[in-house]
Amino acid sequence: MITIQNNDGDRRVLLLDSPFALDESPDFPEYLFDVVFIANESVEETKTILNSINPVTSTKCCYKPLFVAASLKGKMGNYDEIIDGYSDNWNDMEVLTTIENIINYNTLIGLAATEDPIMSSNQFFIRLTRYLISRKKTVLEPKLDVTASTGYAIPVFDLFYRLGQYDLSDYFVFLQSMAEKGLFRSTKFVNKVFLCPKCLHSHLLYIKTCPKCGQSSVQTEEVIHHFRCANVSPEHTYNFGGQLRCPKCHKILRHIGMDYDRPAVIHTCNTCGNTFIEPKSQTLCTSCQELHDEEELIPQDFNVYEITSEGKQSIISPNIGFTIYTEFYDNYIEYNRFVSRIRLLAEQKFSGNIEGDLLVGKIWILNEKGETMPIRPEEIELVCLYFPNNKVSAANNITYVGSVIREHKGVDTEEEIINFQVMMSETLRASVPILKPGETICYSYMKLQGNQSTVNDFIKEMDYISPTPDDTASSASGTKASKANEPVAENDEIEDM
C-alpha cells in the first residue's frame, strides 16, 4: 500500500507499508508530499524500506520528516538516527509539532527541499551533514562499537557505511578536510586507534612470529643466570629431577636473588628451531586477511566534532562541493585564482616569455529547455581526473580547463590542440551517466589570439557559453562527436597552467 493523505496540520503525508521504488516512480513526484510515514511493524522490513526511502539518500524524501510504527521504538539500532519519531497516528499532537518544527526550521535556514541523486562519496557526506543540520544535530560523537569497522564510529555515518555509501579512506579525508577548513571543530579527543593499512579496519589479531621463518608456533621460557659460575642458559637446561641444578658447575640452585636470577626470556621456534630474544610483532586483519608488521599500522585519532556556525552556512550553500574539491584534487583552484593565472600567462605570452598557445576549455550542461544547469560535484571530479596536469575551476555554471601548449622544436602545436579537443570530447562521454533525462553536456574551447588589448575581452568571454559548441553528449543518445575519435596521444607538451 502506498497513498497520500492530509494530516490535521494540512501537511501531505506519504503512507506506505512495504518496499517501493519511490525515486523511480513517476506517480509520486517530490512536490506531492511533505512527510513520510512507514506503517510496517516488522523491524527487518522497515529497515529494508529505509535503505532507499529516507531523508538522506532519497532524492524525493530529502530532509523531509519521517516516522515509523510505535512498536519499533528501541529496536531499530542505528536506523534510529534517521527516524524523527515513532507513532501509529500521524495526527498525534507530538507528531504534528515535530513535523512543523522540522519544515519551518529548514525553511528558515534556506535548506533546499530537493537534491540531485548521489553519485559520489563527497556528495553523500555533504547530503548527510545537511540532514544533521536540518535536525539540529551538530555534535558528531564516535561511539565504541564492537561491530563497527573502525572500532569507533559516529552511528549515523556507520549506518550508511554499512549500506555502501562511502569508503573509509574518503570518510577520514572528509572529516580532516572539514576540520582544517574550520567547518568542523574538534571538542574532545576520544582515542587513538591503529588500523589495517590496506582496508582501514580495526579488528586485528596481534601475532608474535619467528623473525626467521615467520611462523607463530613459538615456545617461550625464561633464562636463568647462575651467579656463582656465571652460566646463562634456558630454564629447561637447569631442570634435574625436579630441582634446579646448574648444567655447568652442577650446583643446586635454591634461592632466587641469592643463587640465581631470571634476567630474560628466550623464544624457540617449533617450526625451524630458531632461538631468539625478540619475536616479530605482526597483525592479521580479520577483514581483508592481510598480514602486516605492527609498525605498518595506520594511527587514527578519533575526536568529537561540532559543526561550527560558519560550517552550517557553508554546508547549506550550493557551492560547498567545490570548496571540498580543492582539498581532494591538487589541480582544482578557485575561480578568481584561475582568472588571475590566465591573465598572468596572457601577459607572459604577449611579452614574449611564452611562445605557444593559451587555451581554455569550457564544459556546461543544458536542460531540455536549453538553460544552463548548476555545476555538479561529480562533474568537477571527472574533469579533474581527466586533466590531472591542467588547472581546473568552476563558476557561472561552467567548468573550466586551462592549458599552455609551448612551441619548440619537435612539437606540432596544431596536433596538441587537437589532442586537447579530443580529451574534452572524452570527458563529455564519461559525463553522460551524470546527466538527467533531456539534459545535454557541451564543450567549447578558446584560444588566446591578437595582442595585449584583447586579454580583458578574452577573460570576459570566459563567462559565456557558445551557441555552437565544439562537441555535445546527451543522456538520451550519447555522444554526437564533432571531432575525430582517434585515441589521445600521450604527450608532455600540454602543460599544467
Side-chain angles (χ1 to χ4, degrees):
M1 174 198 75
I2 180 167
T3 184
I4 295 176
Q5 297 186 20
N6 280 16
N7 66 12
D8 290 347
D10 204 27
R11 298 292 185 182
R12 296 159 296 181
V13 181
L14 177 71
L15 300 171
L16 69 158
D17 60 2
S18 58
F20 180 71
L22 178 64
D23 283 347
E24 289 75 36
S25 173
D27 299 325
F28 294 90
E30 177 276 333
Y31 59 81
L32 281 185
F33 61 97
D34 309 301
V35 185
V36 178
F37 211 103
I38 301 174
N40 188 311
E41 296 191 355
S42 166
V43 171
E44 293 308 316
E45 288 185 16
T46 301
K47 287 182 178 179
T48 300
I49 297 170
L50 286 170
N51 288 346
S52 58
I53 299 178
N54 65 71
V56 178
T57 61
S58 169
T59 57
K60 293 183 179 179
C61 302
C62 204
Y63 316 131
K64 293 179 179 179
L66 182 143
F67 298 84
V68 301
S71 61
L72 302 183
K73 189 172 184 178
K75 302 177 183 178
M76 296 300 294
N78 284 350
Y79 283 85
D80 182 67
E81 300 289 328
I82 55 173
I83 296 171
D84 294 303
Y86 297 82
S87 178
D88 296 323
N89 180 7
W90 52 88
N91 286 315
D92 178 82
M93 184 55 65
E94 184 176 351
V95 172
L96 295 175
T97 301
T98 300
I99 292 171
E100 293 307 309
N101 287 342
I102 292 172
I103 293 176
N104 291 337
Y105 182 68
N106 288 349
T107 302
L108 176 66
I109 63 176
L111 188 60
T114 58
E115 292 276 10
D116 293 328
I118 294 173
M119 302 187 71
S120 67
S121 58
N122 179 61
Q123 192 177 7
F124 164 76
F125 290 132
I126 297 302
R127 179 83 67 84
L128 176 55
T129 311
R130 285 173 176 166
Y131 165 76
L132 294 174
I133 293 172
S134 78
R135 298 314 194 259
K136 301 182 181 180
K137 297 178 180 180
T138 58
V139 176
L140 310 178
E141 182 175 0
K143 303 288 186 180
L144 187 62
D145 185 349
V146 67
T147 67
S149 298
T150 53
Y152 284 93
I154 300 169
V156 68
F157 279 82
D158 188 54
L159 167 64
F160 288 103
Y161 171 71
R162 295 170 191 257
L163 295 177
Q165 286 291 338
Y166 62 89
D167 294 327
L168 290 174
S169 57
D170 291 338
Y171 167 70
F172 290 123
V173 168
F174 172 75
L175 289 179
Q176 181 181 357
S177 174
M178 299 297 273
E180 289 176 352
K181 299 184 79 64
L183 306 184
F184 288 1
R185 177 176 58 246
S186 175
T187 60
K188 180 182 178 182
F189 173 76
V190 176
N191 215 337
K192 184 186 292 290
V193 175
F194 290 85
L195 307 176
C196 171
K198 180 179 180 181
C199 66
L200 298 179
H201 282 232
S202 66
H203 297 179
L204 308 170
L205 300 179
Y206 287 78
I207 303 170
K208 301 295 185 181
T209 63
C210 171
K212 182 178 179 180
C213 71
Q215 297 299 310
S216 60
S217 179
V218 175
Q219 180 180 342
T220 302
E221 63 179 326
E222 293 182 310
V223 171
I224 291 180
H225 172 213
H226 184 201
F227 294 151
R228 182 171 180 174
C229 69
N231 181 67
V232 179
S233 61
E235 183 174 353
H236 77 270
T237 65
Y238 282 82
N239 288 330
F240 184 79
Q243 294 180 314
L244 292 178
R245 184 189 295 273
C246 178
K248 179 180 179 182
C249 67
H250 308 296
K251 293 292 183 181
I252 299 294
L253 280 61
R254 301 184 185 278
H255 305 290
I256 188 169
M258 296 180 62
D259 298 332
Y260 68 97
D261 66 358
R262 301 174 185 270
V265 295
I266 194 169
H267 308 276
T268 303
C269 178
N270 295 326
T271 302
C272 70
N274 182 39
T275 299
F276 47 94
I277 299 298
E278 288 292 335
K280 188 175 183 179
S281 296
Q282 293 186 299
T283 61
L284 177 64
C285 178
T286 60
S287 177
C288 68
Q289 301 180 15
E290 289 288 326
L291 191 67
H292 295 282
D293 293 344
E294 191 172 342
E295 58 267 22
E296 294 177 335
L297 298 181
I298 304 297
Q300 178 63 50
D301 289 348
F302 284 84
N303 301 285
V304 177
Y305 288 104
E306 181 181 22
I307 305 174
T308 64
S309 298
E310 178 186 359
K312 294 176 188 176
Q313 297 176 356
S314 298
I315 291 164
I316 291 173
S317 165
N319 294 323
I320 180 64
F322 310 136
T323 303
I324 298 302
Y325 268 88
T326 63
E327 301 295 330
F328 285 164
Y329 297 100
D330 292 336
N331 57 329
Y332 182 88
I333 61 176
E334 301 295 344
Y335 184 64
N336 60 337
R337 291 180 56 208
F338 184 81
V339 171
S340 297
R341 197 174 186 88
I342 292 291
R343 188 180 297 278
L344 177 62
L345 290 169
E347 291 173 353
Q348 291 179 339
K349 173 179 171 61
F350 289 127
S351 64
N353 293 329
I354 291 179
E355 292 185 0
D357 290 305
L358 174 59
L359 309 179
V360 174
K362 300 189 289 187
I363 297 176
W364 65 94
I365 296 175
L366 298 175
N367 64 16
E368 56 189 1
K369 298 179 181 178
E371 302 166 330
T372 58
M373 302 301 294
I375 304 163
R376 294 164 192 165
E378 59 270 23
E379 179 186 340
I380 299 289
E381 180 180 11
L382 281 169
V383 177
C384 287
L385 290 174
Y386 269 72
F387 291 91
N389 298 319
N390 301 72
K391 293 303 181 187
V392 176
S393 192
N396 314 308
N397 291 348
I398 302 170
T399 302
Y400 298 91
V401 182
S403 181
V404 176
I405 301 175
R406 296 184 182 273
E407 293 179 355
H408 55 81
K409 186 176 180 180
V411 175
D412 185 337
T413 56
E414 289 302 318
E415 181 180 349
E416 295 306 319
I417 292 174
I418 292 174
N419 286 341
F420 180 79
Q421 292 174 287
V422 172
M423 185 57 75
M424 293 291 286
S425 291
E426 292 292 331
T427 307
L428 293 196
R429 282 188 279 276
S431 301
V432 168
I434 74 173
L435 300 179
K436 298 178 182 179
E439 289 185 338
T440 301
I441 188 167
C442 315
Y443 102 80
S444 65
Y445 85 99
M446 304 161 52
K447 183 170 75 170
L448 180 63
Q449 298 176 352
N451 51 43
Q452 184 75 37
S453 63
T454 65
V455 174
N456 288 334
D457 292 335
F458 183 82
I459 291 175
K460 192 177 298 182
E461 186 184 343
M462 287 170 51
D463 294 345
Y464 302 103
I465 64 171
S466 170
T468 55
D470 294 297
D471 197 359
T472 65
S474 69
S475 58
S477 58
T479 301
K480 300 177 288 184
S482 60
K483 300 296 178 184
N485 288 331
E486 69 267 19
V488 180
E490 292 186 4
N491 197 305
D492 294 331
E493 302 306 328
I494 300 181
E495 297 184 357
D496 178 356
M497 283 182 53

